[in-house]
Amino acid sequence: MLEAAPSRLEVAPERPRRRWSVEAKMALIEETLKPGANVSAIARQAGIAPAQLFGWRRKAMRTGVVQGEPQEQRLGFVEVTPTSSSMIEILIADVVIRAAADIEQNHLVKVLRAVRQA
C-alpha cells in the first residue's frame, strides 16, 4: 500500500517572499489615513492583499505609531429629545440639515449618510 500526501510547498508557485521596509509600510499606512482614502484600492495598487494592509494599519494604530481619525471627525449619534422648538439643526462640515424634531430615527440616519457620502 502506498500513501501519498501532497505538500503545499510542492504545488505552490516558486516566488520569493517580499520583505517590506518599515518606511514603505509607513508610507502605505499614512496614505490610508488620508480623508476619503480607499484602503483596498491602495493595497491593490501596491500589489498586496487588502487584509495585509489593514493588518499593518491596525497594528500601527494599536501600538500608537500612527494616530487614526480624530474623535471630532467621526460620525456618531446622540439621543435627541424634542424641546419647545419644532426644528433641529445639524451641522456637518459646511452643510446645515434642518429637520422636524419628530423625524423618525431611520429617516434621519439615511439623510446623514447621504450628506456624508456627498
Side-chain angles (χ1 to χ4, degrees):
M1 179 191 273
L2 294 172
E3 288 186 24
S7 171
R8 181 167 177 356
L9 296 176
E10 292 174 2
V11 294
E14 291 187 28
R15 288 188 298 178
R17 188 173 180 177
R18 288 190 290 181
R19 301 284 181 191
W20 291 86
S21 68
V22 174
E23 294 81 17
K25 288 180 184 180
M26 289 306 298
L28 288 171
I29 291 168
E30 287 173 4
E31 192 174 340
T32 67
L33 297 174
K34 293 178 182 174
N38 183 327
V39 178
S40 295
I42 293 167
R44 283 191 299 271
Q45 188 177 18
I48 61 174
Q52 180 69 57
L53 185 52
F54 275 109
W56 290 346
R57 187 173 78 159
R58 186 173 39 254
K59 184 177 179 181
M61 292 174 84
R62 185 175 52 237
T63 59
V65 174
V66 295
Q67 296 295 319
E69 192 175 331
Q71 287 286 29
E72 62 269 5
Q73 294 294 325
R74 293 187 183 164
L75 179 61
F77 295 97
V78 296
E79 186 69 31
V80 176
T81 55
T83 60
S84 60
S85 70
S86 61
M87 179 90 47
I88 59 172
E89 288 187 3
I90 302 169
L91 177 65
I92 299 177
D94 59 343
V95 177
V96 177
I97 301 168
R98 292 184 182 91
D102 60 348
I103 188 170
E104 292 182 20
Q105 181 179 356
N106 291 338
H107 186 68
L108 182 58
V109 167
K110 289 177 184 177
V111 170
L112 293 173
R113 285 187 180 147
V115 170
R116 290 282 296 193
Q117 290 176 354

